[in-house]
Amino acid sequence: MSWDFFVPVCVGDLVKTGGINQYVVQDVVSPKQLPPYISKFKAALRSQGPLCILEHFDTGYSVLQHCNSVELAVKEDALELLVQVVSGLAATLPSLFVSTSVSAAERKENLNAVKMSVYLLCKLTESLESESYRQSIITAPGKGGKKGKGGEGFLQWDSERETVLQALVQLLQLDIRSLWNLSLVEEEFISCVTCCCYKLIENPTISHVKSKPTREGIIHLLGVLIKKYNHLLGASVKVIQLLQHFEQLPSVFAQAVSVWSTEYGIRAIIGEVIREIGQKSSEELAREGSGVKAFASFLSELGTLVPELMMPNISVLITHLEGESHTMRVAVCEVLGEILVRVLCGDGLDESGKADRDRFFDTLQEHLHDTHSHVRARVLQVYTRIVNSKALPLCRYSEVMELAVGRLMDKSINAVKSAIQLLAAFIAHNPYSCKLSSADLKNPLEKETAKLREMKEKVEGKAPVAVIKASELWAAMEPELLVTVRTELEPTSEDEKEEEEDNRDVEEDKEEEDDRATAVKIAQYLRVNKYRNAVRLCVRAHSCFPESEMFASLSTLNPETLMDTLALIFKGSDDDTSELSQNLPPTPQKEGEKEGEEGELKKQEMLVQYLRDTETFALQVERAISVINSMLYWKTTSVVQEAVQFCVTVCEFSVANSVSGVRKMLPLVWSTDAAIKDAVVNAYRRLYLNPHGDTIRMKAQTLVDSLSELMVDASLGTIQCLEEIVQEFFGSTSNLQSTVVQVLWERFTGKRDTDNLHRRAAVLLLGMATRAEREVVLSNLDTLCSVALGEKVTEDFLLARDTVLTICSITDHVRQSKGAPFRLPQDHQLFTCLTQALAEGVVMEDPYWQSFMEQAVRLIYFLAESPDQLCSRLLQRSARLLIDQVAEGGEVNKDASQMQDGSQDSTEQGEQVNCVCLAQLLALCGCVAFWQVSHLERSVSAELRRRRGETEEREEKEKGPSSKAKQAANESAMEEELGLMGASAEDTEAELIRKICETELLAEENQLSAFLPLLVRVCSSPGRYSHPQLTTAACLALSQFMMISPSACEENIRLMFTVLERSAFPVVRANAIIALGDLTVRFPNILEPWTQNLYARLSDEVPSVRQTAVTVLTQLVLKDVLKVKGQVSEVAVLLIDPEPHITSLALNFFNELASKDNAIYNLLPDIISRLSDPERGMTSEDFNTIMKQLFSYITKERQTESLVEKLCQRFRTAKTERQWCDLAMSLSLLSMCERGFKRLQECWECYSDKLTEPGVYQPLLSITAKLRRGAKPQFKAQVDEFEKRLTAVHTRGLENVESPEMDAENPKEGGSSDKTIMRTPLPARGRQRAKRAKPSASSRGDDSFVTPQRSRRSKKPVITFSSDEEEDEEDAVMEENETPKVTTPIARTSRRARLRN
């Protein structure tokens, strides 16, 4: 073979004349002639094998050249042949490589075959891939149209791709480099294969699950090319390029890089790719847009797959933490988190690993305060993964948890949710005891800390008290030692004897082994004051150790040299003696004691530290619980769901105070948001309705225990919420249901030892079970009466009240509406027990009797036949018992006796009855009056409707069916007639009920009428009846009597408002507000003139009264019972109330009012006038605070424009400088727009003469500053001009600024200067707009916003309460001339509609 095949850069290069011995395509076959050539190619492949490509290359090239026009079958055949050629080469080449006798021609022949086949296969694959992609775009899936032939063919392209990739991998895995000279594979050949791979990898569906075989084939093919064919650098560059342009590739390339680095051992690829990403500047990342997201996603995926291989290159990525791209910061933080979880974890880290771990944790903690909310949220999620993996060091628990609690205040919802999840993870995986609160841990910590202190003092006490240095000892002994030295150096005859006596010691000293031991001996002599022995030994040591440095100075023996030598030995002997003492064998007993004490001390230190950490953790958990509990009522659904889940986690791990959150989220079962409601229901089902136990009995007891704990000390509202959840359990077909009911009855009846709280919880739970199955209680009424309402009822009225609530649950009005009502006879044991308990309780001073009484009277009217007769006898009996009580004490109350007789005369004689008992009697009669009216309007009315319906049905059946033709002809007429008949019948029934309430309930023969004079007497004589409970009960009872009829209400309305304004008891005033609110709903026309008196209570000096007033008025206004007028300014004042709860109620009022169309907008001018009134005396700071809140609700441009005009017009009628300043400040608080600014210019004449005041000028100047921000050049010029005009008038005055202009304009105007001065003319467009806007609120309301002149009013007579002296008690009631008249009647719904409700 004389030619060589060179892989071309372009397909067309092969037909051009090449260089010497370069292969050139000779014959390019036309598309129509290709099928026979393909057949020849196929035959040659069968006969000659894969080397046939050398002869039939032109055929494959022709298919490639005409790929767009050739038939699909031809392309498929060509592809199949090329795959067979490549596979055949992969099968035959191994034997060639093993053979040692391979000629150059044969090698060249195989090389050309390899290059030709691979080239054609790769290029044809690229062409088919492009065509497949185009076909997928053109043929939209799911349209229902028929696909063409090409579309059907390309449905198999996914499997064909896999075949191509497998063939290429099999070939390139062989060592085909030996076919080239010097094993240098040409770059064009490698590029041909890699370009095909990258073309396939650009497919948008490459990351889908269905493309997994293709994806893995590409990855392995590129891995072979990188490992064997030096494609490392090219691959890293290509990865970066493709990531920038294709959003689907991050996960693909992350998988690819991890496979290349692990399975193929090419770890350098990670370094190359990360280095390329790390070197990109913030400016580049900001420009690329989607490329940043791809890089970040790639790094996150790669960190998840091979974190241990990314750690050596992490320093390159950390630079991006300082960059502007928050997406890259998130990715780097996620990589750090994966490294900390899977690499730098455990106790086996070396010092370097621990240092890296601490540095990474510090980096993550810094980014908990990142400027971007997304980064903060993701870092919190990273910490959650770390905590769940138990990879967070114990020493960092407190610090990270404190940061997480701080993030609960984050402005970002995602950050808050992530912080809640992190705190839940801390609680689930904490190493401390969460069951103890910080208060429980305080005492043990103090005890153990004191014990540790004692142990330390004990150990320190055994140590030497004082350590004296050798130099200090030397200074003390030096004088005496000097005398001894001199004596020894000048011996006398008297010393000879002593010398002989000490010879033994000296001889022993000679036997010392070395000079060091001798020096230690000398030092010991000195310490025990044996100076003479020390001196003699020192003198002899010089002769024994002449070469020793310590004794070298004694060559000249005199007192000075001897003292220097002794000093050197003694002062330098501390170390020697210490070493010597260490060498001495210690006493075993002392050594053991010392080690034991040190061990105990270390254990105690560890215990104290553990308790401190536990207390810190408990404090942080308590803080987190309190914050997250407040999030349960946020408006963001996802945050509420996370808070609910946190409460569940906290409760499951039995954290202290966890029940508080569980109880607080209970009212959310009424949420209108289905997601929140489901979350709460599922939480309670998980916590309380899925008990654990070995037997059904144990499960039932566990369920009852948990629910009882939740209900202990729970409010009535909480119980109603819980009933919504528990009812679902009792209504299910659970096998636990009957066992739970049995356990509840055992607890209630006392068969098991149970305290009163849990007995009450049991009976309430039985009531919830009754909602699902009425027989649970109905069949056990006798048991309920005997246990809770029997002889011992007076001992526990709370148990009796809860029992009554349970019995009430059997009356389901919705269920009973279809049939006859369920009622019991008057002589039933239940009513006998109830009436006896009520009557006896009247003369007892039990604080819980009244709550029992209210529920008992309600039950009587719900269940008893003729409950009015029963309650009438009850009132008689109660009054008689009260009179008997007075009589037994020797006191006869004539008022009470006359009341019993039905007399209306009042006397002033007699002694007072017990105030508490009288208050309870009045409360009873008021409750009876209320439920009597309710009974008539609900039960009696419903029964009348039911009976009428039955009568009509019976009459229709008796008449029989009429003929079909006649029925069809008169159908519409009959329906209309029936409708009118029904309406008239309902009106008749409603009129009957109204007449009974008006004429019979308070008639003389009715028992209730006897109590009304007493109620009026008590309420109108606060001086005589000054007991708080009595006054409160009388006030409420009187309001309940006023509910009976309009006449009763009109007769006593003045008295009620007198009590409201003049009562000295805040509780009476608060209750009066609630009662009058109910009366306003029932009789709005009667109460409408008294609205101002209700609003007056908003300024009451007692916070509880203000709170009640704003709550009642909020309900009345938002339900459209009261018309919203200027009195709302009194509610606005509460926005600055010192009580935070009242402020929040006022804020909620305006938030709800803002949801009504234009409500606040219509009220604002009047509110401003009232609040800026000098007589009110409000400070400017308070005024600004209120107005900021109110103006925040003005968001529409048209409203802003209209308010600008209205406020400007108010400058004309404002009389004081303070009012000017308040109006200007109000203008500055508006979110001014261009139209509003033009209206401000048009109203220049209204405020220009006030600009000399700084309080007017500065707010208007601030408006121009706001308008200038982001304004267009033309509009900005207008703002600047207006600002110059403002400043000029402010500094020089209106007359000095505008007089020259007016003089210049007057000649042109022709005598119209007066008009010009009065009003600045509008532009043409403005005048047209003004004409069109005549009916608008702004133009219509100009006159209504002018402040009227103060009119002279007659001074109101002073109203005083009666005292104990002889006065007319009725004088305390407002006079007739003080009673406001009805001015604007309020439309009411029909009586029929009210009765239905």
Side-chain angles (χ1 to χ4, degrees), residues 29 99 145 162 225 273 276 311 428 507 510 575 618 628 652 663 763 871 937 1076 1133 1199 1209 1233 1237 1265 1309 1357 1384:
V29 184
S99 176
E162 298 171 25
L225 292 170
V273 175
E276 288 289 335
M311 186 175 169
E507 293 296 327
K510 290 181 185 179
D575 295 337
I628 295 175
E652 285 180 336
R663 283 187 176 180
V763 75
C871 288
E937 294 191 351
L1076 288 168
V1133 175
Q1199 291 179 347
Q1209 294 297 332
C1233 54
F1237 175 67
E1309 296 293 334
T1384 54

Side-chain angles (χ1 to χ4, degrees), residues 160 333 714 784 788 909 1163 1232 1282:
E160 295 294 334
C333 289
L784 289 169
Q909 300 176 356
L1163 292 169
M1232 195 74 69
F1282 181 72

Side-chain angles (χ1 to χ4, degrees), residues 676-713:
I676 294 177
K677 181 178 179 179
D678 292 343
V680 175
V681 171
N682 291 333
Y684 272 86
R685 187 183 296 119
R686 176 175 164 185
L687 288 174
Y688 297 105
L689 303 181
N690 290 326
H692 300 286
D694 297 333
T695 62
I696 294 179
R697 176 80 180 182
M698 292 179 64
K699 288 182 178 180
Q701 289 178 349
T702 304
L703 188 148
V704 171
D705 288 338
S706 58
L707 288 177
S708 298
E709 289 297 329
L710 194 63
M711 295 185 67
V712 167
D713 294 334

Side-chain angles (χ1 to χ4, degrees), residues 468-484 526-527 529 531 563 567 570-571:
I468 303 175
K469 295 182 180 179
S471 57
E472 296 175 354
L473 287 175
W474 176 260
M477 70 174 68
E478 187 176 7
E480 186 177 355
L481 181 60
L482 182 59
V483 173
T484 306
L526 291 174
R527 286 184 180 277
N529 297 330
Y531 301 140
M563 286 295 290
F570 187 81
K571 293 181 181 180

Side-chain angles (χ1 to χ4, degrees), residues 142-181:
K143 297 295 184 181
K146 294 183 179 179
K147 295 184 180 180
K149 183 178 180 181
E152 293 176 359
F154 281 109
L155 290 176
Q156 304 300 323
W157 175 234
D158 288 342
S159 59
E160 295 294 334
R161 269 193 308 232
E162 298 171 25
T163 308
V164 171
L165 292 169
Q166 290 172 3
L168 289 172
V169 170
Q170 289 173 3
L171 177 62
L172 294 175
Q173 277 181 339
L174 303 176
D175 191 16
I176 62 173
R177 291 177 296 178
S178 59
L179 296 175
W180 277 267
N181 291 327

Side-chain angles (χ1 to χ4, degrees), residues 340-361:
L340 289 170
V341 169
R342 296 169 56 185
V343 181
L344 298 177
C345 60
D347 299 329
L349 295 176
D350 55 11
E351 293 300 325
S352 176
K354 291 180 180 178
D356 290 339
R357 181 189 64 185
D358 294 340
R359 187 170 69 253
F360 291 170
F361 272 119

Side-chain angles (χ1 to χ4, degrees), residues 20 51 64 89 200 321 413 436 466 490 534 557 585 616 632 718 776 801 810 865 921 932 1142 1166 1318 1360 1379:
I20 301 174
L51 293 180
L64 185 62
L89 288 171
L200 294 176
L321 291 174
I413 295 299
L436 298 177
E490 297 176 358
L557 188 62
T616 303
L632 288 169
T718 302
V776 172
R801 179 200 66 187
I810 65 177
E865 291 284 355
L921 178 62
Q932 182 65 46
I1142 297 177
D1166 204 13
M1318 290 303 295
T1360 58
T1379 305

